[in-house]
Amino acid sequence: MKHPVYRPCVGVMLVNREGLVFIGRRKNKRLVEHVAPGHEWQMPQGGIDDGEDPYEACLRELYEETNVRSVSLIAEAPDWYHYDLPKDVAKKSWKGRFAGQRQKWFALRFLGTDGDIDINKHEPEFSAWKWVAMEELLGLIVPFKREIYAKVIAAFGDLVKSP
């Protein structure tokens, strides 16, 4: 039996001074991952390049998706989390090479101002962004990522309150 292969990835829970979490609405609603209309929101995430340290990948992905550099590390998730794409999505996404993603998550405190955030500076992945209470996250993302988001919330929930 063939074991599933997961794309190595990082995720970022970016938290502002008020304890709210950054989320962006995925730009291209025609992507195969958009299986639940109205649930296009997610925290920044992206692939880890060959030989790249996960924390460095976290900072790179955050910068590429939000233009944010002014952060401090709150915590690193204790484990790697993985999710499976729905089977029909997995066949189309990443040329069918991956069953889903294996993610290392980091909680970062945002030290800048909202004016520092620019989702259009680089190749845009988001069409909009907002700060939300952590409790709102599960209702805004695609269903197949909810289990991971629940684990991330459990790992960081008590740590990301406003300082």
Side-chain angles (χ1 to χ4, degrees):
M1 181 175 173
K2 185 178 175 184
H3 293 287
V5 176
Y6 293 93
R7 177 178 179 247
C9 182
V10 291
V12 183
M13 179 180 274
L14 182 66
V15 183
N16 70 11
R17 289 174 181 87
E18 290 77 39
L20 300 174
V21 177
F22 174 97
I23 57 170
R25 182 176 25 211
R26 296 291 305 268
K27 183 177 174 103
N28 188 345
K29 291 184 182 183
R30 291 186 304 261
L31 291 173
V32 294
E33 293 92 358
H34 291 302
V35 296
H39 299 277
E40 298 92 8
W41 296 89
Q42 70 176 35
M43 291 183 277
Q45 65 175 58
I48 299 172
D49 294 336
D50 287 339
E52 188 176 29
D53 173 76
Y55 183 64
E56 293 305 315
C58 155
L59 296 176
R60 176 184 52 76
E61 284 292 336
L62 180 65
Y63 177 67
E64 289 174 0
E65 294 184 10
T66 66
N67 200 50
V68 168
R69 288 198 189 268
S70 184
V71 296
S72 64
L73 178 64
I74 298 171
E76 177 179 335
D79 299 307
W80 287 80
Y81 307 131
H82 78 277
Y83 69 83
D84 292 314
L85 290 166
K87 292 201 185 314
D88 57 327
V89 174
K91 290 177 187 175
K92 300 171 190 168
S93 209
W94 305 302
K95 300 178 183 175
R97 295 182 308 165
F98 303 107
Q101 291 193 8
R102 179 176 170 261
Q103 299 179 320
K104 180 55 114 169
W105 279 83
F106 296 88
L108 302 177
R109 176 77 59 198
F110 179 52
L111 303 174
T113 66
D114 286 2
D116 297 333
I117 298 171
D118 186 350
I119 59 172
N120 295 306
K121 176 124 182 172
H122 308 278
E123 190 169 328
E125 295 205 18
F126 300 130
S127 62
W129 67 272
K130 60 185 176 179
W131 296 106
V132 299
M134 196 179 312
E135 299 79 32
E136 295 178 50
L137 291 171
L138 295 181
L140 295 169
I141 60 162
V142 292
F144 63 85
K145 291 185 182 179
R146 287 187 184 146
E147 185 178 337
I148 281 209
Y149 272 52
K151 290 178 181 179
V152 170
I153 291 166
F156 299 145
D158 292 337
L159 303 174
V160 299
K161 305 290 185 226
S162 57

